[in-house]
């Protein structure tokens, strides 16, 4: 029963990892950039939400409505000021530039807010601890279920945008060939700015749930980036629904690791990530790729 | 920087047999560097304790900068996980000293063992590319940190210290650590100089610029990459072991922190990514900035991050890149120079 509970809680935790990973995965699949400031930007959004809730006494959900458009603008600024120029410098420069940006953000947050850990949990009343009983001794937190549901809705929404809308088609075309799309009347720069804005909105939502479900501090960005990256890679970088699978695998591995040893939470996650990497890379047709191919064939 | 450039100018110059590697500046630089190293080696005889400690720190920074530059600047392999090898180098020294090995040989044996570990993990890890490789190695470093924390000798984040160093007097310890650092940095620089100047250097830069094209002309992509990765990890492990020798305490958090890689990136970006001299210049600049502004704490770190960001975006060749292209200066003869008799100027 303990193990069943750990798997259940791990699965729900995976919803949060899918949330934080989806922006990273989206940006990678569209722009071929791994944004190392990803986690720090989520933490910055969490601080913005905290200030609105704490100082201006807004309901966190109202605060989110204010923060998300701001995050979209942050995305446009990030694309125009940093990523666009970095991309022109080759494959190394985006990694180095976004890493520099992450250091600036983390330390600026420390300068502004100090070392204290914060949380939005005190501002959402009983939602932070309320739970439903779903079986004998099995409880699921309402917030955890809400996080998971948000992840599913957000991934589905992104999928719909990419496959059904004009903007989504333009984004996919631009990611295929950013130079040629100009010939068919698509402004690649504008499309990339929109994609970055979408990615940052998902980062804002991830920052919201980070702040609701736990505490955060100015240097929480690096672990968030690592979790996001692990979920994205386990699920297959660039695949949106894979991200959800990756998040769940990571969450379950951490929960089971935590059950085995007090240090096991992080070790379990990292170990599964490296194991997946080893298996995936162990041949031209790694196990997971093979499973996915079989799955794809059976759907046709 | 290839020996036989594709342009007609280079080919005609080749016919005139006017490709050189040494210039007047590089002859003078090397002629000055050798006696300088000898003079530095006798440092403990005439320098104050404070200067010796400072120089030891500088040597460690140069070691980090030069090896990270070889990895990223020459090899095109970005690692955000070199702190893992840094921490493991220190940990291996603690373990070997605990097993009874004299501390100073333990530094080098420990770093050697970590280089062996780097060789083994390079097989899966080096299949990753760019940002994926960077964060993949970061995750590996985090995992190593957590596993080292489990060791009862280390006692989690409480840490331990290199007690065996108490066998030496403070003066002897200072001088030995200084010589060990100088020996390590000089040895690594010479090793990298020989490697990067020779066929490996040409091969690794060809791989960095175009992997498929390099493979198509017979460059052994995987083994060349692996060699550079192992040498760079050896450098990081040596740096960690030396840092332990000068600090004596081993607290895992201080060694496995990602700030070490941030420092390496800063040094190499500001000095000049992909130039041998640039990495050394960057290490000296970082050393001075830390001495002057380190007391500013968080603002200092914000400044470092901003500078790295600005250099990455606007001055990708770093300060040395600016200087060497403006004055056509190269102090270490790593590349090839094509002299054009009609123009009198040379072209790197």
């Amino acid at each position: 029963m303990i193990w069943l509970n750990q798997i259940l809680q791990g699965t729900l935790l995976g919803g949060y990892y899918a949330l934080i990973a989806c922006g990273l995965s989206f940006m990678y699949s569209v722009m071929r950039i791994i944004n190392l400031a990803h986690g720090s930007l989520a933490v910055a959004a969490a601080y913005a939400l905290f200030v609105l809730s704490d100082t201006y006494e807004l309901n966190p959900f109202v605060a989110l409505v204010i923060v998300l458009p701001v995050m979209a603008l942050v995305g446009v600024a990030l694309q125009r000021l940093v990523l666009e120029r970095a991309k022109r410098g080759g494959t190394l420069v985006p990694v180095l530039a976004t890493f520099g940006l992450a250091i600036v953000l983390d330390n600026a947050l420390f300068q502004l807010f100090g070392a204290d850990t914060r949380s939005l949990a005190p501002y959402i009343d009983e939602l932070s601890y309320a739970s439903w009983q779903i079986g004998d001794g099995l409880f699921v937190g309402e917030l955890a279920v809400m996080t998971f549901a948000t992840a599913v809705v957000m991934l589905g929404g992104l999928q719909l945008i990419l496959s059904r809308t004009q903007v989504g088609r333009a984004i996919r075309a631009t990611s295929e060939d950013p130079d040629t799309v100009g010939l068919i009347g698509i402004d690649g720069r504008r499309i990339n700015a929109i994609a970055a804005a979408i990615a940052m909105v998902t980062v804002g939502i991830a920052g919201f749930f980070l702040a609701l479900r736990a505490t955060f501090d100015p240097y929480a960005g690096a672990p968030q980036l690592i979790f996001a990256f692990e979920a994205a890679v386990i699920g297959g970088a660039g695949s949106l629904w894979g991200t959800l699978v990756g998040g769940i695998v990571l969450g379950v591995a951490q929960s089971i690791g935590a059950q085995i040893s007090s240090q096991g939470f992080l070790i379990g996650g990292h170990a599964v990530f490296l194991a997946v990497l080893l298996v995936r890379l162990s041949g031209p047709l790694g196990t997971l790729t093979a499973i996915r191919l079989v799955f794809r064939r059976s759907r046709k | 920087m290839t020996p036989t450039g594709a342009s007609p100018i280079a080919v005609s110059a080749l016919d005139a047999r006017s490709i050189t590697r040494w210039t007047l500046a590089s002859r003078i630089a090397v002629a000055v560097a050798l006696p300088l190293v000898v003079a530095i080696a006798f440092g403990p005889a005439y320098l104050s304790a404070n200067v010796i400690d400072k120089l030891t720190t500088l040597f460690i920074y140069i070691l980090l900068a030069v090896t990270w530059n070889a990895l990223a600047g020459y090899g095109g392999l970005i690692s955000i996980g070199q702190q893992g090898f840094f921490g493991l180098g220190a940990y291996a020294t603690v373990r070997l000293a605990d097993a009874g090995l004299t501390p100073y040989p333990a530094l080098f044996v420990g770093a050697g063992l970590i280089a062996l570990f780097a060789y083994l993990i390079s097989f899966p890890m080096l299949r990753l590319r760019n940002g994926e490789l960077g964060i993949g190695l970061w995750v590996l470093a985090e995992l190593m940190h957590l596993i080292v924390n489990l060791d009862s000798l280390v006692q989690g984040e409480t840490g331990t210290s290199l007690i065996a160093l108490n066998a030496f007097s403070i003066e002897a310890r200072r001088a030995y650590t200084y010589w060990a650092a100088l020996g390590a940095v000089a040895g690594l620089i010479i090793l990298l100089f020989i490697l990067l100047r020779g066929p490996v250097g040409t091969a690794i830069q060809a791989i960095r610029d175009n992997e498929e094209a390099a493979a198509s002309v017979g460059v052994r992509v995987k083994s060349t990459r692996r060699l550079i990765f192992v040498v760079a990890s050896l450098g990081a492990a040596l740096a960690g072991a030396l840092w332990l020798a000068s600090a004596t305490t081993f607290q895992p958090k201080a060694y496995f922190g990602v700030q070490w890689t941030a420092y390496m990136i800063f040094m190499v970006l500001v000095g000049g990514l992909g130039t041998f001299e640039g990495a050394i210049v960057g290490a000296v600049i970082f050393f001075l900035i830390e001495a002057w502004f380190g007391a500013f704490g968080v603002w200092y770190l914000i400044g470092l991050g901003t500078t790295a960001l600005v250099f990455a975006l606007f001055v990708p060749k770093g300060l040395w890149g600016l200087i060497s292209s403006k004055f056509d200066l190269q102090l270490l003869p790593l590349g090839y120079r094509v002299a054009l008799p009609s123009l009198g100027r040379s072209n790197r």
Side-chain angles (χ1 to χ4, degrees):
Chain A
M1 193 49 111
I2 282 175
W3 297 104
L4 184 63
N5 187 45
Q6 289 301 324
I7 290 169
L8 181 67
Q9 304 305 334
T11 306
L12 290 174
L13 179 60
Y16 168 70
Y17 292 142
L19 270 183
I20 186 98
C22 103
L24 189 77
S25 186
F26 182 74
M27 216 169 209
Y28 179 71
S29 63
V30 173
M31 294 186 260
R32 296 283 143 196
I33 281 182
I34 295 186
N35 173 19
L36 295 194
H38 183 83
S40 305
L41 285 162
V43 174
Y47 270 104
L49 290 161
F50 174 79
V51 168
L52 289 175
S53 305
D54 186 65
T55 314
Y56 298 96
E57 295 176 355
L58 289 177
N59 180 297
F61 290 90
V62 178
L64 183 67
V65 175
I66 298 171
V67 165
L68 289 186
V70 176
M71 285 306 286
L73 292 177
V74 168
V76 174
L78 180 71
Q79 169 64 18
R80 285 283 153 91
L81 299 178
V82 179
L83 301 181
E84 203 173 81
R85 180 174 275 277
K87 191 85 193 292
R88 284 202 298 268
T91 49
L92 301 190
V93 178
V95 183
L96 299 174
T98 54
F99 188 64
L101 182 63
I103 295 168
V104 174
L105 274 176
D106 291 354
N107 289 292
L109 288 174
F110 184 87
Q111 187 64 36
L112 282 171
F113 298 102
D116 295 348
T117 58
R118 315 278 182 175
S119 176
L120 279 184
Y123 307 95
I124 51 168
D125 303 325
E126 78 277 0
L127 180 61
S128 62
Y129 53 83
S131 60
W132 291 302
Q133 184 166 12
I134 56 162
D136 186 26
L138 279 185
F139 292 88
V140 289
E142 288 179 18
L143 181 61
V145 172
M146 197 174 112
T147 311
F148 193 90
T150 308
V152 173
V153 169
M154 204 164 83
L155 290 165
L158 276 180
Q159 190 78 56
L160 278 180
I161 290 176
L162 282 179
S163 57
R164 295 291 162 85
T165 67
Q166 196 64 41
V167 172
R169 277 190 283 271
I171 288 175
R172 280 187 296 150
T174 310
S175 77
E176 286 291 325
D177 192 334
D179 299 320
T180 313
V181 288
L183 299 175
I184 52 167
I186 293 174
D187 181 352
R189 282 191 72 208
R190 192 171 144 263
I191 293 301
N192 274 338
I194 292 172
I198 293 173
M200 282 309 120
V201 168
T202 72
V203 168
I205 294 171
F208 177 65
F209 283 98
L210 167 71
L212 287 186
R213 58 178 288 276
T215 59
F216 57 95
D217 64 71
Y219 297 108
Q224 303 312 311
L225 169 69
I226 288 183
F227 294 150
F229 179 73
E230 288 178 334
V233 169
I234 292 171
S239 138
L240 283 177
W241 290 111
T243 306
L244 184 62
V245 176
I248 291 172
V249 170
L250 179 65
V252 170
Q254 289 181 337
S255 300
I256 290 177
Q259 186 63 40
I260 294 169
S261 140
S262 60
Q263 306 252 3
F265 181 80
L266 290 171
I267 294 181
H270 294 332
V272 163
F273 164 76
L274 289 173
V276 168
L277 216 55
L278 277 170
V279 170
R280 160 117 15 108
L281 298 173
S282 63
L285 206 72
T287 312
L288 279 175
T289 326
I291 291 170
R292 199 178 306 145
L293 282 178
V294 170
F295 180 64
R296 201 173 281 167
R297 230 170 267 147
S298 68
R299 268 194 314 190
K300 273 178 188 167
Chain B
M1 297 252 260
T2 48
T4 50
S7 74
I9 297 171
V11 173
S12 66
L14 187 70
D15 295 339
R17 292 171 188 245
S18 53
I19 289 182
T20 56
R21 305 200 74 171
W22 292 86
T23 61
L24 182 63
S26 62
R27 278 176 216 278
I28 294 173
V30 172
V32 169
L34 293 176
L36 189 67
V37 170
V38 174
I40 291 172
F42 286 101
Y46 57 88
L47 292 172
S48 74
N50 185 31
V51 174
I52 291 294
D53 284 344
K54 288 268 162 62
L55 282 176
T56 306
T57 307
L58 176 63
F59 296 154
I60 295 174
Y61 289 164
I62 294 177
L63 191 55
L64 290 172
V66 168
T67 52
W68 200 82
N69 180 49
L71 196 62
Y74 283 90
L77 301 170
I78 294 252
S79 165
I80 315 223
Q82 292 310 97
Q83 70 274 15
F85 302 110
F86 187 88
L88 284 179
Y91 171 68
T93 308
V94 167
R95 262 281 158 208
L96 289 171
D98 186 64
L101 199 63
T102 323
Y104 288 98
L107 302 180
F108 294 95
V109 176
L113 289 175
I114 300 312
L116 186 67
F117 170 72
Y119 173 75
L120 294 176
I121 57 124
S122 74
F123 285 87
M125 298 312 284
L126 288 189
R127 288 168 183 257
L128 297 172
R129 287 288 169 274
N130 302 327
E132 280 192 310
L133 174 69
I135 313 187
L137 288 168
W138 189 355
V139 171
L140 191 73
E142 292 285 315
L143 186 60
M144 292 305 123
H145 178 185
L146 292 164
I147 290 173
V148 165
N149 275 357
L150 292 178
D151 187 337
S152 56
L153 182 70
V154 176
Q155 311 165 59
E157 293 298 352
T158 320
T160 179
S161 56
L162 198 57
I163 311 155
L165 279 179
N166 290 342
F168 301 90
S169 72
I170 291 177
E171 291 75 25
R173 198 194 294 176
R174 178 174 288 122
Y176 287 152
T177 307
Y178 174 85
W179 282 321
L182 180 63
V185 74
L188 247 295
I189 285 179
I190 291 168
L191 175 65
L192 281 172
F193 180 75
I194 293 168
L195 279 179
L196 294 176
R197 193 169 189 263
V200 171
T202 316
I204 194 73
Q205 291 175 70
I207 296 168
R208 175 196 64 194
D209 295 338
N210 191 334
E211 189 179 332
E212 287 79 15
S216 75
V217 294
V219 172
R220 292 166 62 181
V221 173
K222 283 180 184 168
S223 57
T224 310
R225 269 212 177 106
R226 185 159 297 128
L227 178 63
I228 291 291
F229 178 73
V230 170
V231 172
S233 305
L234 172 70
L238 269 175
L242 289 163
W243 194 263
L244 172 72
S246 65
T248 68
T249 56
F250 178 71
Q251 283 165 317
K253 220 175 212 163
Y255 286 79
F256 285 98
V258 74
Q259 80 273 9
W260 288 107
T261 293
Y263 296 158
M264 291 182 223
I265 292 179
F266 175 86
M267 293 188 275
V268 172
L269 271 180
V270 169
L273 188 67
T275 60
F276 212 92
E277 301 92 330
I280 300 172
V281 169
V284 173
I285 291 172
F286 174 69
F287 173 77
L288 293 175
I289 288 178
E290 194 194 34
W292 291 329
F293 301 108
F296 289 90
V298 173
W299 282 112
Y300 157 72
L301 294 170
I302 294 176
L304 284 187
T306 311
T307 315
L309 179 61
V310 167
F311 270 83
L313 292 179
F314 299 99
V315 202
K317 286 184 168 179
L319 290 177
W320 186 258
L322 287 182
I323 294 170
S324 70
S325 61
K326 183 151 189 173
F327 299 105
D328 191 29
L329 189 68
Q330 195 185 8
L331 297 184
L332 292 171
L334 276 158
Y336 293 84
R337 306 170 68 89
V338 179
L340 298 174
S342 56
L343 297 172
R345 287 267 295 166
S346 56
N347 177 17
R348 257 219 285 164

